[in-house]
Amino acid sequence: MNTVSGQKNKASNINTKRAKLEAKYKEQNFKRLKTIDKIAIKSAADPNAQFDDLLRVISDDGVLYQAMGNINKKKGSLTQGPATDPTTADASSAKLIEKLSKDLRNKTFRFNPIRRVYMDKSGKSPVTEEQKAQLLKLHKQGKVTMAQIKELKARPLGISSFPDKIVQEAMRMVLTAIYEPEFSRTNTNFGFRPGKGCQDAIHQIQQKAKAMDYAIEGDIKGAFDNVNHKKMIEILGRKIKDQCFLRLVMGGLKCGVMFLNYRQDSDLGTTQGSVVSPLLYNIYFHEFDKYITTEFTQLVHNINETENRKDRPINKLYRFYGGKRARLKLPAMIENYKKLYKEQGTTDDTILLSQEIKKTRKIANELEKKQKSLKSRTKSRQTIRFWYTRYADDWLLLSNADYPRMVEWKSLFTKWISEKLQLAVSEEKTKITEIRKGDRAKFLGFSITRAKGTKLINMGLYKKTRTDILSRIKYTRQKLTDEKIYKIRSVNTSVVVTWDRERVINRLIQNNMAKKYNNKLRSTSKISWTNLGEQEIVQRYNYIIRGYMNYYAPVTDRPLDLGLLYYILKYSCVHTLAHKRKTTLTKIFTKFGRDVKIKYKTKIQTKDKVTGNEITNITEKEVQLLTWKDCKKIMTEILFATRKKTKRKKTRLNIHHEYHY
């Protein structure tokens, strides 16, 4: 009994010690994480807040441990950096954190050159041996420019050493705490921000950019590679007063790149592949976001005031025809005729009045026809509005201004970006699109245009319920009162968002999943996958189909339009299977069915618990290509989830107004 009680006391003592150690660890190592939270609170409360002593924050063990944990979660944590320090996440240890902390505190930490890797234009596969040889030749000759890299159709990526990644992540945590509240104030940028994505940018356009006529599609030429380092430090210096921290940032920008054994200095740009690079670019280009929301907004406001523009300027000719029709007093004439006919019947007076009504109705109909051919509002005197959205180096500005003014604004933006940020706007990709005439602006893989013509709106109290969330025309209507439901003519101000066919189809052609024969699109086999198992081919196509549905379904206004994309991918899968079996599509459908169901056997090896011998079990499994019905189910679930999320946001907003206003 004494032995048992002694063991219990020993276990309880161990648990007590463990609890004390955990409390001590949390108090010591996570104290600075609370400091980062305080920085974020201060930045959110005061737009003009300035920050100092940041090097002390990132040199803390707790912050560095958290940064190391964040890096270890990422896929590239085991990728080797430059030859000067090829360590990876395998080198994670307390000693490494202590060394980094000491070097940062003593201001002796230096970033290693970044290992440069070249990928093809898609960014998914390495360059060919021929391209690699040409790039090596350029590096031997001296400095390699982005123009030379683009000529070879390559994309440079940078891989930092593991210790450098930890320090970069610690810097990113602090910079995010300072600048995320700043980004939230304008809320125009959705790239590389926590909790933001492409769908959020498109959803904002759908909600805010109503009745727009033109769009400026903006693109920065070599955005990440042409960031001016001095300008970058100048922008950071407006909020950060810690010169040691700024020198560390500059050291990360100037560390250089290394391709094989050839080193090149970094005079411009933030290296793609660096942990902190996207955030630094966001901070850099946020200056343009602020310009749009302040100076440019004031410029548009001044134009509206100077030109005496109004939200709803009435078209005088439209009103003239309406007034002329009203002065004919046709309804009163008809009422008089009805009374007179009821009292006298068919007489000379009623016949004359009837003929007069016919003439008046003819004139009224002509006036109505002329009135309806006009717009009720004068476009030239309407208030100019605009909406601006950005994702990384791509931005879109939509406005109801006329074409000459849009051309003027485009040149204004180009000049401002060139003078203030030392960046060049791509003339090829930056263009003005007339979305009101059906032309489509391209943004983040989506196609944006304006709904055509006018629409009829049902007026009256009724409840409208969609029977199919994917269809725009399938719904039921229930009257809530005895009042008559009538229709009125209205201008359709909606923005229509669909998938960018040109971009997606070109990508499918590049990936050998589709081809154009005599300007007609046809699915083709992906030959590089024919060496895979049949079940793996189907699974890979399922991943691609599901990925496209997940990306486009939350915000597209024409979900069923994705049927074409599904058709191309389905028949590409069937073509690939036919190519593998060296047979025809008909025979593939005969063998696997129209839904392409493939049965296969897998071996599962287990150990016998008694003898320890390996036992091989053969099980039969089935994989099926996603059907269009499955795709519609996926899209329906996504749309319902998106609508619930939107309703929750609206409810929170209403509660906020109820309590604070």
Side-chain angles (χ1 to χ4, degrees):
M1 290 291 288
N2 291 334
T3 309
V4 174
S5 62
Q7 287 176 348
K8 283 183 178 179
N9 290 332
K10 191 177 179 181
S12 65
N13 289 335
I14 289 168
N15 289 334
T16 307
K17 283 181 181 178
R18 186 179 292 163
K20 286 180 180 178
L21 284 169
E22 283 179 359
K24 187 180 177 183
Y25 180 77
K26 283 181 181 178
E27 187 181 350
Q28 289 179 352
N29 290 346
F30 290 97
K31 192 175 180 180
R32 292 297 173 202
L33 294 180
K34 291 180 181 177
T35 306
I36 291 175
D37 291 338
K38 287 177 183 176
I39 288 170
I41 292 165
K42 182 182 175 182
S43 180
D46 182 9
N48 301 316
Q50 294 183 337
F51 302 88
D52 203 348
D53 205 15
L54 297 178
L55 190 67
R56 183 174 59 84
V57 176
I58 66 166
S59 63
D60 186 79
D61 291 356
V63 174
L64 291 172
Y65 271 117
Q66 182 63 47
M68 186 170 68
N70 293 347
I71 294 296
N72 285 339
K73 290 175 188 175
K74 296 180 180 179
K75 289 181 181 178
S77 61
L78 292 171
T79 307
Q80 284 189 349
T84 52
D85 188 356
T87 55
T88 65
D90 294 332
S92 300
S93 66
K95 285 183 180 179
L96 175 63
I97 296 299
E98 286 173 15
K99 184 180 182 302
L100 288 174
S101 178
K102 186 181 176 182
D103 289 346
L104 287 166
R105 282 198 303 271
N106 295 336
K107 301 169 189 175
T108 57
F109 177 84
R110 297 291 180 270
F111 285 101
N112 288 290
I114 293 170
R115 177 187 158 214
R116 176 161 278 185
V117 177
Y118 288 102
M119 309 295 283
D120 64 4
K121 208 171 181 182
S122 67
K124 293 179 181 178
S125 307
V127 291
T128 61
E129 289 298 324
E130 186 183 346
Q131 287 174 308
K132 193 174 180 180
Q134 289 175 321
L135 287 162
L136 182 59
K137 188 179 177 182
L138 288 172
H139 275 277
K140 284 179 180 178
Q141 290 171 358
K143 191 174 179 181
V144 182
T145 62
M146 282 305 300
Q148 291 172 321
I149 294 168
K150 283 184 178 178
E151 276 181 25
L152 295 171
K153 296 181 179 179
R155 175 178 287 184
L157 293 179
I159 303 170
S160 302
S161 67
F162 183 65
D164 289 0
K165 285 180 183 177
I166 294 171
V167 176
Q168 287 171 6
E169 176 62 17
M171 290 164 62
R172 188 202 63 79
M173 289 161 63
V174 171
L175 288 171
T176 300
I178 295 169
Y179 284 97
E180 181 55 32
E182 186 78 11
F183 298 153
S184 298
R185 286 187 191 98
T186 56
N187 202 31
T188 54
N189 170 35
F190 295 87
F192 308 113
R193 285 181 60 199
K196 303 289 183 184
C198 300
Q199 286 86 358
D200 297 302
I202 299 298
H203 183 68
Q204 192 188 65
I205 289 169
Q206 288 174 315
Q207 296 297 312
K208 305 288 184 181
K210 300 283 185 182
M212 300 301 185
D213 297 333
Y214 290 92
I216 301 177
E217 303 170 50
D219 184 80
I220 306 300
K221 191 186 289 182
F224 287 85
D225 305 304
N226 291 308
V227 169
N228 186 285
H229 293 169
K230 285 184 180 178
K231 188 70 181 177
M232 178 84 253
I233 298 301
E234 182 195 322
I235 292 166
L236 289 170
R238 293 170 194 167
K239 292 186 81 70
I240 298 169
K241 295 304 172 186
D242 186 346
Q243 295 302 315
C244 297
F245 184 85
L246 293 176
R247 279 197 293 271
L248 188 67
V249 173
M250 181 61 93
L253 294 170
K254 293 281 187 186
C255 64
V257 294
M258 186 172 279
F259 179 63
L260 299 178
N261 294 322
Y262 297 93
R263 191 181 186 281
Q264 179 179 319
D265 292 330
S266 307
D267 298 326
L268 285 172
T270 59
T271 308
Q272 292 189 51
S274 168
V275 176
V276 76
S277 175
L279 178 57
L280 287 175
Y281 179 78
N282 267 348
I283 294 166
Y284 193 78
F285 208 77
H286 184 62
E287 295 298 302
F288 182 66
D289 300 344
K290 287 195 291 185
Y291 165 74
I292 292 289
T293 53
T294 53
E295 292 179 38
F296 181 71
T297 303
Q298 186 60 43
L299 174 69
V300 174
H301 177 71
N302 292 341
I303 291 169
N304 288 329
E305 281 196 341
T306 307
E307 297 180 4
N308 195 24
R309 291 174 173 268
K310 296 178 182 178
D311 288 338
R312 293 186 172 185
I314 295 167
N315 186 336
K316 290 180 181 179
L317 191 58
Y318 183 91
R319 184 189 245 179
F320 169 75
Y321 286 131
K324 207 169 181 181
R325 269 184 68 214
R327 286 192 291 275
L328 291 173
K329 298 180 181 179
L330 182 63
M333 289 173 70
I334 293 169
E335 283 296 320
N336 289 337
Y337 173 77
K338 285 179 180 178
K339 284 180 184 178
L340 194 64
Y341 185 80
K342 196 174 182 181
E343 291 172 4
Q344 299 179 11
T346 305
T347 61
D348 292 340
D349 292 338
T350 55
I351 290 167
L352 283 169
L353 190 56
S354 173
Q355 289 173 354
E356 193 178 342
I357 286 169
K358 282 182 182 178
K359 289 177 184 177
T360 308
R361 183 178 277 133
K362 189 177 179 181
I363 296 165
N365 287 342
E366 286 176 5
L367 289 170
E368 185 182 12
K369 192 175 179 181
K370 286 179 181 179
Q371 189 185 25
K372 283 188 176 180
S373 67
L374 301 169
K375 290 183 178 179
S376 60
R377 310 291 176 196
T378 306
K379 189 74 180 171
S380 60
R381 293 190 295 113
Q382 195 173 23
T383 303
I384 294 175
R385 296 175 294 102
F386 73 91
W387 190 258
Y388 166 79
T389 303
R390 178 171 72 86
Y391 190 97
D393 60 335
D394 293 324
W395 51 272
L396 187 74
L397 187 135
L398 299 110
S399 178
N400 64 339
D402 56 10
Y403 184 77
R405 188 153 267 145
M406 295 298 283
V407 173
E408 182 189 330
W409 288 354
K410 182 189 167 187
S411 60
L412 177 70
F413 298 152
T414 304
K415 186 181 177 183
W416 194 95
I417 290 168
S418 175
E419 289 178 357
K420 302 291 183 180
L421 298 178
Q422 282 86 55
L423 292 173
V425 171
S426 173
E427 291 298 329
E428 295 173 5
K429 296 181 181 178
T430 303
K431 53 188 177 180
I432 299 168
T433 309
E434 190 175 6
I435 59 172
R436 69 175 176 183
K437 293 278 182 77
D439 293 343
R440 298 175 182 276
K442 309 297 173 63
F443 189 58
L444 303 177
F446 290 90
S447 175
I448 299 166
T449 188
R450 185 170 159 181
K452 291 180 182 178
T454 59
K455 62 180 178 180
L456 293 173
I457 298 176
N458 291 308
M459 300 298 289
L461 291 171
Y462 66 94
K463 183 181 178 183
K464 185 177 176 181
T465 309
R466 277 197 178 186
T467 54
D468 184 358
I469 195 170
L470 300 177
S471 175
R472 294 175 295 120
I473 57 173
K474 293 181 181 178
Y475 61 87
T476 57
R477 197 172 63 195
Q478 178 187 351
K479 287 175 72 174
L480 299 177
T481 61
D482 294 331
E483 292 179 13
K484 186 179 178 181
I485 295 173
Y486 58 96
K487 293 184 177 182
I488 64 166
R489 184 179 69 131
S490 174
V491 177
N492 197 347
T493 61
S494 306
V495 171
V496 178
V497 176
T498 55
W499 60 289
D500 185 352
R501 289 194 180 195
E502 185 182 351
R503 180 177 175 177
V504 175
I505 287 169
N506 284 341
R507 187 165 289 178
L508 292 177
I509 291 169
Q510 285 174 6
N511 292 329
N512 301 317
M513 292 181 178
K515 258 187 183 180
K516 282 189 177 178
Y517 296 99
N518 298 325
N519 293 327
K520 289 184 179 179
L521 191 67
R522 294 285 184 270
S523 300
T524 58
S525 65
K526 189 167 176 63
I527 298 169
S528 59
W529 286 2
T530 52
N531 59 342
L532 302 172
E534 290 172 345
Q535 72 277 5
E536 192 174 346
I537 291 170
V538 173
Q539 284 169 349
R540 288 196 180 193
Y541 273 97
N542 280 346
Y543 296 149
I544 294 167
I545 293 168
R546 194 180 291 275
Y548 276 120
M549 299 301 157
N550 287 336
Y551 184 72
Y552 286 111
V555 288
T556 182
D557 292 309
R558 306 281 189 268
L560 297 178
D561 195 34
L562 290 165
L564 172 64
L565 180 57
Y566 168 78
Y567 175 87
I568 295 166
L569 289 168
K570 177 184 176 179
Y571 274 86
S572 175
C573 177
V574 177
H575 273 288
T576 307
L577 292 170
H579 196 112
K580 181 178 175 63
R581 286 179 165 260
K582 296 179 181 177
T583 184
T584 60
L585 299 185
T586 308
K587 288 182 180 178
I588 291 293
F589 282 125
T590 305
K591 181 170 179 61
F592 299 120
R594 298 299 300 181
D595 293 339
V596 192
K597 291 181 183 176
I598 294 175
K599 291 180 180 179
Y600 63 100
K601 292 178 181 179
T602 58
K603 292 180 181 180
I604 300 173
Q605 289 187 340
T606 56
K607 279 190 177 182
D608 191 289
K609 291 181 180 179
V610 180
T611 60
N613 297 330
E614 287 190 353
I615 302 168
T616 304
N617 296 319
I618 297 172
T619 58
E620 195 173 89
K621 291 186 178 181
E622 183 181 85
V623 64
Q624 179 184 337
L625 186 69
L626 287 170
T627 62
W628 179 234
K629 191 176 179 181
D630 295 332
C631 292
K632 289 204 286 186
K633 189 179 177 183
I634 291 166
M635 289 191 287
T636 304
E637 288 171 0
I638 291 167
L639 284 169
F640 273 122
T642 307
R643 289 191 177 187
K644 280 182 183 177
K645 187 179 175 182
T646 309
K647 281 181 182 178
R648 253 186 255 122
K649 282 183 181 176
K650 285 181 180 178
T651 308
R652 285 176 191 160
L653 186 65
N654 291 339
I655 290 168
H656 174 78
H657 280 284
E658 188 178 329
Y659 280 95
H660 296 277
Y661 289 87

